[in-house]
Amino acid sequence: EEAAELDTAWIGSWEEAFGEATIAASTAPAEEPERECLFLVGLDAQEQAHAISAAALRFLADERCSRLAIVFPAAGALARLVGASLKRYGIPHQDAIGQRLPGTFETASFTAWMELQRTPRLNALVRFLHSLDLDHPLFMNIARDRAEKVLRNALSEIAIDDLTVLAAGCGARAGEGEFVRDLIHAIKFLPDRGTLAEFLGATSATFEHLQWPERWREIESRTGWAESLPASFSRTLYLRWLSDSASTVRITRDATGSHPYASVQILTAAQAEDQSWSHLILAGLNEGAWPAGGRGDFLPTEQIDAFNSSVQKLNRAATRRGREGEGHVAVHEGKALFLGTPQQRQLARAQFDSLIESASHSLALTASLVQEAIPERISNPSEFFGRVYYEAHGEPVSQAAMRTLRDETRRWLDSASLEPRHEHPETPGILQTRVAYSARREIAKSGEYDFALRDPPNEIKPLSVSNAETMLKSPALIWMERYLGVEGAEDSTYVWNATVGKWTHEWLASILGRTENFTPFPAPADIAPRILAAAERKRAEVRKLCRQAGKVIPDWWDSGWENALCLAQTLGRILGTIDGWKFAVTEWRLETQPIAVGDGRSLLLRGRADLLLAKIDAPPASLAVPDLWIIDFKTGNKKSLAPSTRKKDEPRGPRVRKQVLKGNALQLALYALAAKQLGAQSVDLSILSPVISKPEPQLHDDDFSGCTAAFSELARMQATGIFGMRGLLRDAFTFTKDYPIATLAIDPEIIDERWELTHPELAVEEESWT
């Protein structure tokens, strides 16, 4: 009844064109037998598919079963799981939904190319490059990994994620930079605007260079009419048309699911309606799936309500009285009815009711208890499921009722003891996966399945001081980078954080000039002009690159540049208050060398310290000075490393050790060890950030006397390759890279216990707050 107006308009329009319809005689029996109705709830899609297959077997055992339809709201994982289950049981069926078989255009490379043309940004370019074969002609002069590294370095220098600007920036650097510039130019981007013929010509040239002749032949065969369309339009519109036209997907199904006249049919709702069924299974009846949920609010609520109420007026304006007189409604020629959200839901209800009525003997409705994307969240049943449940039981379906239905379904499945006709044995690969799965969750030391080598490496690679800090926070990431050569994807969303830090360090380094030797520390009045001059050089460089690329430097870039300048000037003013330290060197490099850490072990380290100050009367030629002060610049709101006095009864040594194990003071501690080994007699350490008003030594090399065991354990990790796991797998509040997806299901408590067993000297005791 709710969709009566839509039905009336459709039937009236049909009769207006073809004449009065003749009502067919009913073939339904005078009295319909009582219909059985099952409600099955699985925990997730896998269990729901199992329940659907079991219900299908039960219905097929009924001698009255002549046609069985398993209806899904749309193609998806649930339909494929059911099809696979019926195949295992050896049940011939017709899978009308089938499986989408990708064709020429449904490949990672073409999809990445389309994304790159829509958004010519670095991440899109990287995905496109990685979708191509390693021997592609684009990589004739430079490997794609090297090209990605050069581009990311250019982005951190320029902070403008535009490929034309990045190409200009790379071209300014000889060698690899020129090769990357040529690579970007070789991709040939489509013009911003043009006619269809112009766009097709550019596409042809691009595909020819990318060696995609079969793709171009497919497009060319569909565009013989292109010359007759003189209109000019945007690249976005052309790519949308190309995405819709370049489709070579075909539906396929296995032999067991290719029986058009089989009793069992897997269908969508649109395919199943207007047919008669003896038995019917309506699957996937969860909220938002059937009927489909809203597509999002594109207007404020008040405007949406007003728009929905106007749909009825629009439809009335599109209709007229038919030739049969009053009551005969037809649609105006050249017009159509508009189906808003209420009308779409009305049609979905009518479709569902029609399906329910089409089942003559038995009916089953299925749903899942939890959401697939968020397993810890309950998934509510749809209004269709709830309405039929209410008609059958006289009460609404609640979450408690859903849990009860799931328990009953599980018991029924367990008692049925359904076994596939062909049981596939577990392959060695599957068995090995189970071994690795169990080993990662065992409360024991890290082994070969937990980011650890079986045997020590033949060659120990040097470790950067910054990576040593990451080894304490996310050791598995460093392990994969060192021994597998893989690393997590960079997130260019936060490129400004890295860029501001890099600019700030460069501009602070300019106060002493580009030299690797100790030079006199400048007067306070000279620091600010030198920082400003370095910042202006950077702005002039980026403006020049933008002019070469035909771009205008954006306003937001100037704002970010001013922010970096403000940070550098703030740190420079704090440095100007230092007194008594006559000589300094910036960006001091620690060349690769073994650093003794105690217990007969050494760490092979390399690094670069931000600022070294020496208290001596003449310029020193090395670090062999009586007093040395190492300062690390921080652009964030980092507090002093001086141990907190909150726990006055706790000695200073254990408090410093906690800071080292948490990674806060590890870099400076390693620099202190290196400086002592290189001849420094006394080493002070500090971090300098905008929230620290007075520069003074915060730690001394003697403070790390209780950290010998921790340093020795780090050396053992480097020597043996036994790292293990630690830390949050995917943290929403830090900029650390994500762990692989295979590790996400491991309980964090298990990870912590395994870390403590593997590296007891690196475990941090939990602080108790009283």
Side-chain angles (χ1 to χ4, degrees):
E1 295 79 6
E2 294 177 351
E5 290 187 5
L6 297 173
D7 285 341
T8 300
W10 189 91
I11 295 172
S13 300
W14 190 92
E15 291 182 332
E16 182 75 7
F18 303 105
E20 183 178 356
T22 302
I23 305 298
S26 174
T27 58
E31 292 185 4
E32 295 185 1
E34 185 177 353
R35 185 168 49 195
E36 176 189 20
C37 189
L38 301 178
F39 297 92
L40 304 175
V41 176
L43 178 65
D44 50 18
Q46 186 75 38
E47 191 171 87
Q48 185 185 172
H50 190 191
I52 294 170
S53 302
L57 291 174
R58 173 177 171 174
F59 289 165
L60 288 173
D62 187 350
E63 62 182 7
R64 300 172 300 174
C65 182
S66 59
R67 300 190 74 208
L68 167 61
I70 306 176
V71 183
F72 298 88
L78 184 60
R80 296 191 64 178
L81 287 171
V82 172
S85 180
L86 295 178
K87 177 184 177 182
R88 287 197 302 272
Y89 293 128
I91 300 175
H93 61 280
Q94 171 65 12
D95 188 355
I97 297 177
Q99 303 173 13
R100 292 166 60 88
L101 185 66
T104 305
F105 293 103
E106 289 71 33
T107 60
S109 58
F110 183 76
T111 303
W113 180 84
M114 291 285 289
E115 181 187 0
L116 178 60
Q117 295 295 333
R118 291 190 188 97
T119 57
R121 301 288 184 265
L122 177 56
N123 280 350
L125 175 63
V126 169
R127 281 190 287 271
F128 174 67
L129 295 180
H130 281 277
S131 69
L132 301 175
D133 295 331
L134 289 173
D135 58 350
H136 196 277
L138 284 178
F139 309 127
M140 184 181 301
N141 296 322
I142 185 170
R144 64 186 181 188
D145 292 335
R146 290 299 307 165
E148 178 182 356
K149 186 175 182 180
V150 172
L151 283 166
R152 294 203 180 279
N153 288 337
L155 179 60
S156 66
E157 289 279 355
I158 302 172
I160 298 178
D161 192 1
D162 184 288
L163 291 183
T164 55
V165 179
L166 291 177
C170 293
R173 297 169 175 80
E176 289 185 337
E178 295 177 342
F179 294 146
V180 172
R181 177 199 59 193
D182 296 340
L183 183 148
I184 295 176
H185 290 163
I187 294 177
K188 299 185 182 300
F189 292 92
L190 299 176
D192 292 335
R193 292 190 63 85
T195 63
L196 181 58
E198 292 171 346
F199 278 121
L200 290 173
T203 304
S204 174
T206 301
F207 283 12
E208 181 181 359
H209 191 75
L210 294 175
Q211 296 186 352
W212 291 351
E214 70 287 350
R215 291 191 175 99
W216 171 245
R217 285 195 297 268
E218 187 70 26
I219 294 176
E220 188 179 27
S221 65
R222 308 178 184 184
T223 55
W225 47 271
E227 296 292 342
S228 62
L229 187 65
S232 176
F233 46 87
S234 66
R235 177 178 59 195
T236 301
L237 189 59
Y238 169 73
L239 291 173
R240 187 185 303 173
W241 170 84
L242 184 61
S243 177
D244 294 337
S245 302
S247 176
T248 51
V249 173
R250 59 188 178 91
I251 301 300
T252 184
R253 51 189 64 85
D254 54 59
T256 309
S258 298
H259 295 273
Y261 300 103
S263 299
V264 182
Q265 303 274 322
I266 296 180
L267 308 162
T268 63
Q271 294 168 336
E273 64 180 346
D274 298 330
Q275 300 190 53
S276 298
W277 309 97
S278 62
H279 294 69
L280 180 66
I281 300 176
L282 300 176
L285 293 175
N286 283 98
E287 187 177 29
W290 196 6
R295 299 186 177 181
D297 294 341
F298 61 96
L299 292 171
T301 305
E302 296 79 7
Q303 295 186 34
I304 291 178
D305 293 339
F307 178 75
N308 289 334
S309 63
S310 67
V311 168
Q312 192 171 9
K313 298 178 182 178
L314 290 173
N315 289 339
R316 288 200 185 103
T319 58
R320 62 181 176 86
R321 191 173 69 175
R323 64 186 179 185
E324 297 181 13
E326 193 69 31
H328 183 195
V329 179
V331 179
H332 282 291
E333 184 178 355
K335 294 187 178 181
L337 298 183
F338 183 82
L339 301 183
T341 301
Q343 285 72 30
Q344 292 177 13
R345 294 186 71 85
Q346 290 171 8
L347 292 177
R349 292 191 191 102
Q351 185 183 61
F352 183 81
D353 291 339
S354 175
L355 288 172
I356 292 289
E357 294 173 359
S358 68
S360 58
H361 292 91
S362 296
L363 173 69
L365 286 79
T366 72
S368 293
L369 184 64
V370 301
Q371 298 182 21
E372 290 292 327
I374 314 174
E376 64 272 11
R377 185 173 297 175
I378 297 295
S379 179
N380 294 323
S382 71
E383 64 177 270
F384 294 165
F385 188 99
R387 191 175 66 183
V388 179
Y389 183 89
Y390 182 82
E391 293 173 355
H393 295 86
E395 61 182 15
V397 59
S398 61
Q399 289 189 355
M402 289 290 290
R403 293 189 180 94
T404 301
L405 287 174
R406 190 264 167 174
D407 294 338
E408 294 175 353
T409 303
R410 184 69 264 171
R411 286 194 296 269
W412 176 59
L413 293 175
D414 292 339
S415 63
S417 300
L418 300 175
E419 295 293 338
R421 188 181 67 174
H422 302 290
E423 186 67 30
H424 297 286
E426 290 188 336
T427 63
I430 295 176
L431 294 174
Q432 188 62 29
T433 302
R434 165 56 64 181
V435 171
Y437 180 92
S438 301
R440 288 178 177 176
R441 289 156 178 81
E442 183 182 359
I443 306 301
K445 294 182 179 180
S446 296
E448 57 186 327
Y449 301 107
D450 195 22
F451 306 102
L453 299 179
R454 292 181 180 177
D455 303 311
N458 297 326
E459 179 184 0
I460 299 178
K461 298 179 181 179
L463 186 70
S464 70
V465 175
S466 59
N467 280 350
E469 179 180 324
T470 308
M471 278 175 60
L472 287 179
K473 298 179 179 179
S474 303
L477 298 179
I478 302 299
W479 189 91
M480 288 187 289
E481 182 180 345
R482 289 173 64 85
Y483 300 112
L484 301 183
V486 297
E487 55 182 320
E490 297 283 350
D491 189 356
S492 61
T493 306
Y494 306 104
V495 65
W496 266 114
N497 297 293
T499 301
V500 168
K502 190 170 185 177
W503 286 351
T504 303
H505 283 71
E506 289 180 356
W507 299 343
L508 288 171
S510 67
I511 63 176
L512 294 173
R514 292 292 182 179
T515 177
E516 297 181 358
N517 301 318
F518 280 91
T519 57
F521 194 74
D526 296 334
I527 294 178
R530 296 182 183 183
I531 292 175
L532 179 59
E536 290 291 352
R537 286 194 296 270
K538 171 60 66 177
R539 182 161 64 175
E541 174 190 350
V542 175
R543 282 180 172 172
K544 179 181 178 181
L545 294 176
C546 288
R547 285 196 301 270
Q548 293 177 357
K551 305 284 184 177
V552 177
I553 194 166
D555 294 338
W556 53 261
W557 189 94
D558 282 323
S559 177
W561 175 85
E562 291 175 358
N563 177 41
L565 177 59
C566 180
L567 286 173
Q569 294 284 28
T570 300
L571 295 176
R573 284 194 295 271
I574 298 173
L575 286 177
T577 62
I578 294 177
D579 186 27
W581 300 81
K582 297 183 179 181
F583 297 95
V585 60
T586 57
E587 302 294 326
W588 174 77
R589 291 184 178 275
L590 172 63
E591 302 297 341
T592 302
Q593 60 179 322
I595 306 298
V597 294
D599 297 336
R601 292 195 174 101
S602 298
L603 269 171
L604 190 61
L605 293 175
R606 57 180 173 81
R608 186 169 60 182
D610 292 337
L611 178 64
L612 270 62
L613 297 170
K615 186 179 290 186
I616 195 171
D617 294 332
S622 66
L623 297 189
V625 296
D627 296 294
L628 185 70
W629 188 4
I630 303 177
I631 296 178
D632 187 22
F633 298 133
K634 301 292 184 183
T635 55
N637 295 330
K638 294 290 185 179
K639 297 181 180 179
S640 171
L641 290 177
S644 173
T645 58
R646 182 173 57 84
K647 293 185 178 181
K648 297 182 179 180
D649 56 336
E650 185 178 10
R652 180 180 176 89
R655 285 183 282 168
V656 173
R657 182 176 179 275
K658 286 182 181 179
Q659 288 188 318
V660 170
L661 295 181
K662 290 180 178 180
N664 298 331
L666 179 61
Q667 290 193 41
L668 287 175
L670 295 177
Y671 281 129
L673 292 176
K676 293 284 289 186
Q677 185 167 304
L678 293 175
Q681 300 177 19
S682 176
V683 182
D684 292 318
L685 305 161
S686 298
I687 64 170
L688 198 63
S689 72
V691 298
I692 298 176
S693 58
K694 184 178 180 182
E696 58 185 2
Q698 298 162 5
L699 296 175
H700 192 266
D701 57 86
D702 293 339
D703 292 328
F704 304 109
S705 58
C707 302
T708 302
F711 297 146
S712 177
E713 186 64 19
L714 283 174
R716 189 181 74 85
M717 290 175 63
Q718 186 184 40
T720 61
I722 300 175
F723 282 35
M725 291 181 63
R726 189 189 189 189
L728 294 176
L729 302 181
R730 296 199 172 181
D731 194 347
F733 303 102
T734 64
F735 302 123
T736 56
K737 299 175 183 178
D738 294 338
Y739 275 87
I741 192 171
T743 64
L744 297 185
I746 304 178
D747 195 329
E749 285 74 16
I750 295 177
I751 295 177
D752 293 339
E753 291 187 47
R754 289 176 64 87
W755 174 262
E756 293 179 6
L757 291 173
T758 308
H759 307 292
E761 298 298 336
L762 300 179
V764 181
E765 297 180 2
E766 295 292 336
E767 296 183 1
S768 59
W769 297 85
T770 58

